[in-house]
Structure formats: structure tokens, C-alpha cells
Amino acid sequence: MIMNEPTITYKTGMSRKDFLTLTGRSVAAVAVAGIATACGASGSTSIQSGLKAVSPPAKIPSSPIEPIVLEEWKSKNDVESAPTPTPMPYKDRIGYAIVGLGHLSLEELLPALNTCKKSRLAALVSGSPEKLKKVAEQYGVKPENCYSYETYYQIKNNPEVDVIYIVLPNGLHKEYVIRGAKAGKHILCEKPMANTAAECREMIAACNTANVKLMVAYRIQYQPHNRKIRDILQQKALGTTKFIQATNGQASANPDHWRHKKALAGGGALPDIGLYCINTNRFILGSEPVEVFAYQYSTPGDPLFTEIEEMVSWQMKFPDGIIANCVTHYDIHDNKDYGVFCEKGWLKLDNAYSYTGQQLKKSHAEGKEKIQENIVIAETDQFAIEMDHFSDCIINDKRPFTTGEEGLQDHIIMEAIYESARTGKPVKIPANADTELFHGPEPELG
Ligand code: NAD
């Protein structure tokens, strides 16, 4: 009954919102309870510390996908509450084994799993027993669900693990994906998928043979600002796309880190962060580059760049003459943005490839006016929605949106970029007959 009285006015003549602000919620609850009782409301009540509390009325649907509807209390002048989340019961969620407890796992993935709705942490794999024990305690993972790289294969006997998520240096992805597939588990693999296109092909074949799903963790394809740009471009809301300018750069400092060792990283800035420019351009345009032209540079004598490159600058030619001009760098202050320039306007996305902080600007002309606007979109936890998408694919037996074939295509393009930089000539990208395999159905991002 209280829920249906949003315009209720109290004796003082104050609005309900002002009343709550002035008196505090608990006093208000007593007053509201009194009014409710006087009106003959039948909500359940209890007495604690001398205060009479009212259980807020709530509609509790039996369907797991219908949200619980709570009592209304906000004015219509304020933003409406979002529906309550509808997470799956914890025991029914897809169980993840996280392999490699480095920066990405500890700083992003494990915290993100706590916010997932269809995914849960089931197991951990690490080479460090001390780290394994500490992280297991922090996240409530049972000792029997903690594995070393030597005992990794025993995950096959663990029914609590549905997915193995490979978060190791790039050069180890192939081995651990193939072993994971042979253990009969679905595989989520960090980007870049591997060190080479040949390795990607082996990984895809192994997952097909084992009949397990393989997804590459291209979080940008699930990120709302980047998806919005894709929609605007593909609907041609700003006319034909003409040109893209993309940068992904950051500063490295440790020459001993695996990212600076060719065997473990596969390359330098290009496979680590330049890859975002390649993959996101393909995603937002919905087409494949037909040719690349590249230039590569490393500062002579810099110990950071004895094995891997510091900088790659390249152009990708897409069908219809669209040019994407891209730069990736391992020795500049962090910069991750791109602009898309169309016939009738442009879109610019700051922090485009970052974990948070995307800022989307749009410009177009209206008569004598140049209209520039900020398109504000709520941020999401990119890692949580990505893992929940993969879980959804397993629950509903769907092909992941970002497949192994999608990861392979980026490696084919990167190999062409390196070849162009080496030879100083443009390199054609052979037409790929498997483009329909690059993506599964559109993800339902809740
Ligand atoms: P990291 O160095 O912080 O962690 C790597 C982990 O692998 C460490 O725990 C390390 O101990 C372990 N490891 C096991 N064998 C190793 C070996 N032989 N040499 C070195 N380390 C070894 O790296 P990270 O930043 O967490 O990156 C891991 C993977 O995740 C990479 O493939 C990277 O490209 C990817 N990544 C993706 C994103 C994203 O946004 N999707 C962001 C960062 C990293």
C-alpha cells in the first residue's frame, strides 16, 4: 500500500523526500509504519530496539530471469532505479579456472568474477605456492581446487571447472590452450591469441577435436562505447566512413619482463597493444583489411628493445577505400584513442581501449551550426560481461562472439604488417573464406 502512495504528504506539509532527508530514514520508517497501520496495511512488522520496522513490500517472481521489484521511494524527478540484477544461483554458474596469477588476473579478472551473474571462480593455477595460497584464501577457493603448472592437467578430473581461462604470457597460450582442451574444458584465451598464425590454427584444431568452445578475450567487442560507434557507422548515420586514426601507446620500463622477450611475447608493442587498433577497426567497420603498409622502429641500444620492437606505424586499406592509420608505441605516455572520420561528421573515443574512462564525442553540421556533443553511456565491467557472455554460450550452446578464427585473422594481419615493415612494401591480405566463422551470434549483454 505504501508503495502505491508516491505523493503522500506528511503533517508538516513537507514532501516525503524532504521529510526523509530531515528526519533520517529510521524515524521516517516509524512514521510510515504508523500511517500504514492506521490505513490497515497488512505488511509484516517486527520490533527491534524499540523501533517498529516495516518489511518493504516486494514482488518476488518465481522466474529466475525476472527481477525482484522493490518498494518505490524516489521522486519521479530523479533517475529511476535500474531493475535489480538477476544473477544465477551461485551453484549453477559456470566455473572458471584462472591460469596465471599476474596483473590482469589479480587486478581485473578475480574482482570482476565477483560481479558476474553467470560465472564463478572455481579454481586457480599458479607457479607460486605462496601466491596461490594467499589468493585462494582471499577469494575462497578450496585447497583441492588450486593447481601448479605441473598438476594443471588434473583439472580434467574436477567437475567444478567448466572453463579454463588462459592469462599467461602470449608464448605459453598455445601449450595451455591445447592441454586445457584435451582435458575436456572450454577455453577462454587472452589476447593476443598466440605468437603466430600457425599456433592459432593448432589451437583451433585442438578445440574442435576435443569438441570444446574457444573464445578469445577481445573485451572491446563487448564494451558499450565501441559498440555504439560500430552501430553509428554500420547504420551510416554520419554517411560513408572515410578514414580512421588510431593510437595505442604506453611506457615500459622493465627489460627483463616477458613482454620484452620475443619467445614469450611474440613481438613488442604490436601484438600486445597495437592489436587493439587492428581488432577494433575490423569490429567497428564490420569488414576486413585487404592490404597493409607499415614502418617499424626501435631506439638503437635501448635494452628494452633488443628483442622486440618499440614502435609500429601502419596503414590498413579496407574495401571502398577506407584507410585506417594506426600507431602503437611502448615508450610514450599512455594514450589509447581513435577517431573515425565520415562524410557528414566524426566520432572520437578517448580511452578507447582502456579498462574504464571512455569518452565519446560526436560532431556534425546542422545548417550554419557545427554541433559537437558528448555521447554519455554508462560504463560496464568489461571483464565481467565478457566472461558472462562466454558462460551464456556454454549454458545455451552458442558459438562465442569472438572466436578463435577471429583471433587467427588478427595474427594473419600482424604477420603482414611485420612483413611490410621488413620489406618496405605494401602487403596484401589474402581473402579469407572463413569470415563467417569470425563471430558467433550477437551477445546478449545484460
Ligand atoms: P603478467 O606478467 O602480469 O602475468 C603473467 C603471469 O604468468 C604471472 O603470474 C607469471 O608468474 C606467469 N607465468 C607463468 N609462466 C611464466 C613464464 N615462463 N614467464 C613469465 N611469466 C610466467 O602479465 P599480464 O599483464 O597479466 O598478461 C597476461 C596475459 O593477459 C597476456 O597474454 C596479455 O596479453 C593479456 N592481457 C590482456 C589484457 C586485456 O585487457 N584483455 C590486459 C593485460 C594483459
Side-chain angles (χ1 to χ4, degrees), residues 104-405:
L104 186 67
S105 296
L106 296 190
E107 292 167 5
E108 307 299 332
L109 302 180
L110 294 177
L113 273 160
N114 277 340
T115 70
C116 282
K117 296 176 188 164
K118 297 178 181 170
S119 319
R120 64 180 167 79
L121 178 61
L124 298 167
V125 182
S126 169
S128 158
E130 298 79 22
K131 192 161 51 171
L132 197 52
K133 184 167 181 293
K134 187 174 174 77
V135 177
E137 280 169 4
Q138 287 171 333
Y139 288 92
V141 177
K142 295 181 281 190
E144 60 268 33
N145 286 3
C146 294
Y147 300 86
S148 67
Y149 295 117
E150 288 70 37
T151 62
Y152 170 64
Y153 193 64
Q154 291 171 12
I155 288 184
K156 76 175 193 301
N157 301 320
N158 190 335
E160 291 179 46
V161 175
D162 304 291
V163 172
I164 291 177
Y165 190 170
I166 306 298
V167 203
L168 290 167
N170 312 338
L172 299 174
H173 288 185
K174 182 189 102 171
E175 176 190 343
Y176 283 85
V177 165
I178 292 176
R179 287 171 66 192
K182 284 185 177 160
K185 304 297 181 182
H186 301 291
I187 305 288
L188 181 53
C189 179
E190 260 311 325
K191 50 52 59 185
M193 186 170 162
N195 274 4
T196 64
E199 288 184 355
C200 296
R201 290 190 180 96
E202 284 186 61
M203 293 154 78
I204 293 167
C207 290
N208 286 341
T209 303
N211 198 23
V212 297
K213 294 184 193 297
L214 170 61
M215 171 166 146
V216 181
Y218 283 125
R219 62 184 164 78
I220 297 300
Q221 297 202 27
Y222 306 93
Q223 199 283 329
H225 297 77
N226 287 281
R227 292 180 71 81
K228 178 77 177 173
I229 290 175
R230 179 185 73 150
D231 292 347
I232 293 172
L233 299 185
Q234 295 190 12
Q235 288 158 7
K236 296 199 184 303
L238 296 174
T240 311
T241 304
K242 296 289 183 180
F243 179 69
I244 297 177
Q245 177 73 48
T247 309
N248 198 349
Q250 60 196 35
S252 301
N254 179 1
D256 297 326
H257 190 261
W258 65 263
R259 281 186 164 80
H260 293 265
K261 305 294 173 199
K262 178 96 191 270
L264 284 168
L270 183 65
D272 190 22
I273 52 177
L275 172 67
Y276 284 90
C277 306
I278 299 171
N279 190 262
T280 307
N281 284 336
R282 294 175 51 227
F283 171 62
I284 60 175
L285 292 174
S287 66
E288 296 301 321
V290 292
E291 187 176 300
V292 295
F293 181 69
Y295 176 77
Q296 175 180 329
Y297 180 78
S298 297
T299 305
D302 189 329
L304 286 168
F305 306 116
T306 51
E307 291 194 30
I308 53 103
E309 83 280 355
E310 177 179 1
M311 188 278 298
V312 185
S313 155
W314 74 101
Q315 292 186 326
M316 294 190 284
K317 191 157 98 183
F318 286 84
D320 303 325
I322 303 172
I323 298 290
N325 199 27
C326 309
V327 185
T328 187
H329 212 298
Y330 252 176
D331 201 12
I332 59 170
H333 177 66
D334 185 283
N335 187 70
K336 301 171 185 307
D337 61 17
Y338 66 85
V340 188
F341 303 90
C342 307
E343 260 179 318
K344 299 178 189 169
W346 52 247
L347 298 160
K348 291 183 185 173
L349 186 59
D350 282 344
N351 302 314
Y353 316 118
S354 305
Y355 301 157
T356 57
Q358 284 74 18
Q359 289 183 323
L360 176 55
K361 293 192 191 75
K362 179 178 165 215
S363 174
H364 69 283
E366 278 181 21
K368 293 194 171 102
E369 303 290 331
K370 182 172 185 178
I371 310 289
Q372 288 198 1
E373 54 187 303
N374 295 321
I375 301 179
V376 179
I377 306 172
E379 286 188 6
T380 52
D381 185 318
Q382 300 176 35
F383 298 99
I385 56 175
E386 178 179 67
M387 286 187 275
D388 272 348
H389 167 64
F390 194 42
S391 298
D392 186 51
C393 292
I394 293 163
I395 293 163
N396 294 305
D397 193 19
K398 289 191 292 199
R399 196 169 161 75
F401 189 62
T402 46
T403 61
E405 286 80 358

